[in-house]
Amino acid sequence: MTVRAVLAHARDMVDDARVSAVPLDGWSKWGLMTQLLLAVVLFAAVPYASSMVPFERIYIDGPYKAPHMEDPMFPMRWRLIALGAWVPFLSMPFAILAWRRRHTHLGLALLQVSLLLCICVIGWRNFPYYALGIYRAYIGEARSWDFDPVGLLQPYGSVGYVPDWEILLLYPIAFVAVPRIGYRLFQERKQMSRAVLLGTALCLATTVFAFLSTPRFLYWFMD
């Protein structure tokens, strides 16, 4: 048997996840727990973030001229937008590490990558939409107005990173990643623990729900 044939056979074994039962090492466990903790912090803030209403002066002065710093909720909006912006970055190294070890821990890799996708969609896409009160306005619990995203997000530049046009990349990424991960999950379901299987499926479902539960998001963001 040639070296090429041996390598091809090894790749087939990896693709079939036949070696996915290798015990987790300390770094993998630590990475998973850290990423889960970051996700819990982000998800726990969603109910409060989605309860925010727009700053009243926006209706008088418009999004560019409104004195956003005088908004009593400005510090909390700032913290929520910062949380949504930075949790995905903090989560990335752990998902990347898990993906690099997918040959021995495929289930863990799928879980952590799907969790990262979910965190990015909720943190980068949804949190500014929630914290600025757009969600409440578009579900009819606050007045709708000219919620120009550039004018509304400009005062939050001190966060260090405010998601911009790159949010639109989440759409094709999720459109490709969700079904592919879901299909691989179905293929390898017998090789994975029930916790990993359900956790990954829940992340994918939450990602889809995050897109569907933000009415008129593109109408607002592309304004």
Side-chain angles (χ1 to χ4, degrees):
M1 183 179 291
T2 65
V3 173
R4 183 174 297 178
V6 171
L7 291 175
H9 181 65
R11 282 196 296 270
D12 290 338
M13 288 183 65
V14 167
D15 290 339
D16 290 339
R18 294 173 188 169
V19 292
S20 60
V22 176
L24 292 178
D25 56 42
W27 280 105
S28 296
K29 292 178 182 179
W30 184 82
L32 175 60
M33 294 304 297
T34 304
Q35 192 178 5
L36 287 173
L37 179 61
L38 290 168
V40 167
V41 172
L42 184 69
F43 297 160
V46 168
Y48 182 74
S50 61
S51 71
M52 307 287 278
V53 296
F55 178 35
E56 284 296 326
R57 291 291 296 272
I58 293 171
Y59 299 115
I60 301 171
D61 302 311
Y64 285 94
K65 295 183 179 180
H68 295 279
M69 299 297 182
E70 297 178 11
D71 178 9
M73 298 304 296
F74 180 83
M76 186 54 66
R77 297 184 203 273
W78 190 96
R79 293 186 185 99
L80 289 169
I81 291 174
L83 180 68
W86 288 104
V87 164
F89 283 119
L90 295 174
S91 181
M92 277 183 190
F94 306 110
I96 293 172
L97 178 63
W99 186 250
R100 292 181 63 182
R101 299 182 177 184
R102 66 189 181 277
H103 303 315
T104 54
H105 302 297
L106 178 62
L108 186 65
L110 294 179
L111 171 61
Q112 292 189 239
V113 168
S114 61
L115 183 58
L116 175 63
L117 177 61
C118 185
I119 288 172
C120 288
V121 171
I122 293 176
W124 287 341
R125 180 183 178 276
N126 290 23
F127 258 59
Y129 176 86
Y130 291 150
L132 296 173
I134 313 302
Y135 174 71
R136 285 292 163 183
Y138 284 167
I139 63 173
E141 295 188 6
R143 285 186 294 160
S144 293
W145 201 253
D146 175 21
F147 297 127
D148 188 290
V150 176
L152 291 178
L153 288 170
Q154 192 172 21
Y156 298 92
S158 58
V159 164
Y161 171 72
V162 177
D164 197 356
W165 59 267
E166 57 269 31
I167 290 178
L168 298 177
L169 295 177
L170 293 172
Y171 286 84
I173 291 172
F175 183 78
V176 172
V178 170
R180 285 182 66 88
I181 294 174
Y183 177 70
R184 195 62 191 273
L185 193 66
F186 178 78
Q187 274 189 321
E188 310 297 346
R189 64 191 184 281
K190 295 181 180 179
Q191 306 285 346
M192 301 176 190
S193 69
R194 185 179 182 86
V196 169
L197 187 67
L198 293 178
T200 307
L202 181 60
C203 289
L204 297 178
T206 304
T207 300
V208 174
F209 180 75
F211 280 106
L212 298 179
S213 62
T214 48
R216 300 171 67 189
F217 177 88
L218 287 177
Y219 170 82
W220 166 68
F221 189 73
M222 301 296 290
D223 186 4

